[in-house]
Amino acid sequence: MKVVVEGGVHIRVAGDVQHPLLVLLHGWGMTGEIFDPIVSQLSERFRVVIPDLPGLGQSEPALASNGLTLAGLSRQLFEALTPVLTDKAMIVGWSLGGNVAVQLAADYPENITGAILVASNPCFVERPDWPTAMPESTYQSFSEALQENPDKVLQRFALLQVKGDPNARVLLTRIKKLLSEAAPAQLSETLRLLACDNRPVLHQLQQPILHVLGTEDTLVPIALREALAESYPHHHIRTVDQSAHLPFLSNPDQFVQYVWQFAAQCQCKSVL
């Protein structure tokens, strides 16, 4: 796997240069290495590009003179990816990475053919008109605890990601290993991005969108499926049974099939 650093963003690339481009965006507190178990399968048909989000993983802090925003992070990430993205790309965004993917698709529609949003909520913290989300009190206590003991919060977050998954023990071992090796620069700043209401931006998108949800996810409840279907009737929604917050690891074969099928809808060249 090739490793490059552009604009302070750590990027790994795998797959044939003749294949269509697929960008994988990880979630809060994690690194792009979370996708490693599926990279081999995906690179059979894609040129896979895996950045660490600015401020997380091995990437340098995100540029934020007036506070970090999804739009600002999207701009910095796109500028870093530009030398690598030699053609239009499809994006897979997991958890927080899903909202970053939405922002990228909205800001650079000529470059993004479609987006797969995995275990991602356009509004992660509940609102009066959006109850299928994390209670605000839970988010606030999580944020406050992060200031006092980041390691403890990350361990708690790891447990929440696998809760209810039959493969919880194996998945937890992998997540804890990644967390122990990472030293993210902006945990608090990037956590605040989860409090953003990204629903209006999602409404702007003209590209095909696929939502993939885990039926046992405690962070992004399966009840979100109905809210998404009502609010975004033109989007596609798929579920992975007996999966918590990591459906691409719980059932990688099923997830990769979803990617192949959706890529064909996005008319990615040379996919089939």
Side-chain angles (χ1 to χ4, degrees), residues 5-255:
V5 178
E6 298 284 353
V9 175
H10 185 271
I11 306 168
R12 297 182 304 144
V13 185
D16 194 298
V17 294
Q18 300 300 319
H19 289 168
L21 289 161
L22 179 69
V23 179
L24 306 181
L25 302 181
H26 64 84
W28 179 77
M30 300 301 297
T31 79
E33 291 183 32
I34 191 68
F35 295 111
D36 281 4
I38 61 171
V39 169
S40 178
Q41 284 179 279
L42 292 175
S43 61
E44 292 175 8
R45 303 187 189 184
F46 287 101
R47 177 75 162 170
V48 183
V49 178
I50 315 168
D52 283 355
L53 295 178
L56 295 172
Q58 297 186 56
S59 290
E60 295 179 6
L63 304 175
S65 57
N66 296 312
L68 185 60
T69 64
L70 281 169
L73 190 148
S74 165
R75 181 169 57 253
Q76 182 180 352
L77 182 60
F78 183 78
E79 290 173 356
L81 289 173
T82 296
V84 180
L85 300 182
T86 55
D87 203 344
K88 294 181 179 181
M90 191 171 78
I91 298 184
V92 172
W94 166 59
S95 199
L96 172 62
N99 283 356
V100 178
V102 168
Q103 191 71 52
L104 281 167
D107 293 343
Y108 308 99
E110 67 280 4
N111 301 98
I112 308 300
T113 60
I116 301 177
L117 312 178
V118 185
S120 187
N121 196 331
C123 187
F124 275 96
V125 181
E126 67 179 6
R127 302 289 200 278
D129 63 340
W130 197 257
T132 52
M134 181 188 302
E136 185 174 359
S137 58
T138 301
Y139 172 79
Q140 290 298 336
S141 64
F142 201 83
S143 180
E144 291 168 6
L146 184 63
Q147 307 301 320
E148 300 176 4
N149 193 330
D151 290 339
K152 184 176 181 180
V153 168
L154 286 174
Q155 294 302 313
R156 176 188 171 198
F157 186 58
L159 287 168
L160 288 173
Q161 291 183 63
V162 303
K163 184 179 180 181
D165 197 305
N167 300 310
R169 182 173 296 182
V170 173
L171 296 177
L172 185 59
T173 298
R174 172 163 184 77
I175 292 174
K176 284 186 173 181
K177 183 177 185 297
L178 291 180
L179 290 174
S180 68
E181 296 171 349
Q186 291 174 302
L187 271 178
S188 295
E189 294 89 338
T190 49
L191 179 66
R192 285 195 284 271
L193 294 178
L194 287 173
C196 298
D197 185 351
N198 214 36
R199 289 176 293 169
V201 182
L202 186 56
H203 272 294
Q204 296 176 22
L205 302 189
Q206 300 299 312
Q207 303 97 320
I209 303 297
L210 170 64
H211 301 267
V212 178
L213 303 172
T215 59
E216 310 305 318
D217 196 340
T218 60
L219 293 168
V220 179
I222 191 61
L224 179 66
R225 175 173 49 189
E226 285 69 33
L228 290 171
E230 181 178 351
S231 298
Y232 307 96
H234 299 298
H235 291 188
H236 306 274
I237 303 173
R238 297 288 183 270
T239 60
V240 178
D241 291 339
Q242 295 188 312
S243 167
H245 198 56
L246 295 148
F248 56 95
L249 297 184
S250 299
N251 194 329
D253 291 338
Q254 182 179 8
F255 180 79

